[in-house]
Amino acid sequence: MSSCRACASATVSTVLDLGLVPAADSFPTAESSPEGDEMHALAMGLCTTCGLAQLLDDDTRADEPRGVEPEALTRAASRAMDEIVRRGWLPDGAVVREYGSPHGGSWIPDVRSRGVADAGPAVAGSRSADLVVDGFGLMHEPDQAAALRERRALLGDGGVLVLQVHSFMTIVRDRQWTALRHGHFAYWSSTALETALWAAGLMPTGCWESDLYGGTLLVSAMRDDSVRLPVWEDDLVTARRVREAEAAAAVTDPTVVSSLGAAAVAEVEAVRARLGASSRAGVTLAAYGAASRAVALFAMAGVTTETFGAVVDASPAKWGRRMPGTDVPIVGPEWLYTHRPDRVVVTVPDLLPEVAAAHPEMSFVDLDSATEGLRS
């Protein structure tokens, strides 16, 4: 990649380089050998002009099996729709269009349950919409500027665009280096996103926050030539506070963001040490969640079936496959009861309450807790 995915400037500095890892969105069959898995560069750049953190070159081909949407995402989407309704952005007879995540899940069933008949995915030739929702869809677009312009073109006069984005400040603050993965082209701070919205002919109208993934932003905008201005004052206050927090955290400073590299090294070493200690102590382990964000970590830590017997996942589309770069099979939840591992490590912290409630007989722990005290 020679220029920024948002502003097209040539001022993109590499801030995190994980080297060669398996493709994050390709889960081979369980019978295949990990020795045949192709390896691909995985690195993050930071534009020093507009502040966007972004995936550098990506030569992978997306063919990830669609997952089952976790309850945490369903609840977050429903709460977001509650906020949208409270702001008056879902009028009678509204037209709603959605840019969804290719990983699965949709806000549309919730929208229709609120009496909206004309609600569906954003497709070419769609009617102008009163509300366009984007549930983590934007990050999957290689050309971020073009994607924002496309969303603007779908908005009617006074229509509102709501973008759900994993806060880059959260990623930096909580050392969430595994957020970097193939197919995820942009990691937005509010500061960078507001700049890009203006450039695309969209006027930012504020944001509100969610605790999903440790910190998610829901950013609203409308066409900059709209006559009607559905602005919510509290959202402007929140947006200003978030920008100030991002400035204090220096999330557009390459030196600060480069700390993610040390976090990656520390976590890989901690996972390797914990798995080795458990194996030597005779403690049997499994993982829960064949998440794309776990692919690089598992491969870099040298995970095998000797350390994790299997990765359990709720999505039947992933059963019979394996984690890329490893020989660890992906299996259904019934595996837990036939093999009875001593402990199950949940790869996505937001899944922990859901899976613990569904399988109360099992001992679950999130990955952070499993490696607590082992990371520098």
Side-chain angles (χ1 to χ4, degrees), residues 136-336:
F136 299 117
L138 180 62
M139 67 166 59
H140 296 89
E141 302 282 358
D143 188 334
Q144 291 288 294
L148 287 173
R149 291 194 298 269
E150 179 182 312
R151 284 150 179 77
R152 182 194 187 279
L154 193 54
L155 287 173
D157 183 46
V160 179
L161 168 66
V162 176
L163 297 165
Q164 185 182 38
V165 297
H166 187 187
S167 163
F168 188 58
M169 182 171 68
T170 298
I171 292 172
V172 175
R173 180 196 66 207
D174 295 348
R175 297 157 60 91
Q176 295 176 351
W177 65 274
T178 56
L180 175 65
R181 51 142 291 181
H182 302 113
H184 284 187
F185 294 97
Y187 306 85
W188 288 104
S189 62
S190 175
T191 302
L193 183 52
E194 288 195 9
T195 299
L197 288 169
W198 281 114
L202 289 157
M203 182 182 76
T205 58
C207 71
W208 68 97
E209 298 170 287
S210 161
D211 60 3
L212 186 66
Y213 299 143
T216 291
L217 295 175
L218 292 116
V219 178
S220 62
M222 57 186 303
R223 281 178 14 205
D224 59 2
D225 62 352
S226 287
V227 174
R228 184 167 61 89
L229 305 177
V231 178
W232 194 262
E233 186 63 32
D234 287 351
D235 291 351
L236 294 174
V237 173
T238 300
R240 183 165 56 251
R241 176 175 53 77
V242 170
R243 288 195 305 271
E244 292 171 351
E246 290 175 349
V251 298
T252 59
D253 183 337
T255 302
V256 172
V257 178
S258 293
S259 65
L260 290 172
V265 171
E267 184 162 15
V268 168
E269 292 177 349
V271 168
R272 188 181 292 122
R274 175 58 71 199
L275 294 180
S278 296
S279 179
R280 289 190 295 273
V283 177
T284 58
L285 297 176
Y288 194 105
S292 57
R293 70 179 62 189
V295 169
L297 172 61
F298 276 31
M300 293 167 68
V303 170
T304 69
T305 51
E306 293 183 2
T307 47
F308 276 134
V311 176
V312 179
D313 198 273
S315 173
K318 292 185 178 181
W319 301 348
R321 298 173 181 265
R322 60 177 172 79
M323 292 298 289
T326 81
D327 62 349
V328 182
I330 303 171
V331 298
E334 71 282 352
W335 185 94
L336 293 171

Side-chain angles (χ1 to χ4, degrees), residues 23-27 38 40 58-64 181-183:
D25 49 15
S26 179
F27 290 80
E38 294 184 2
H40 305 267
D58 184 3
D59 63 353
T60 65
R61 184 179 66 253
D63 61 353
E64 180 179 353
R181 51 142 291 181
H182 302 113

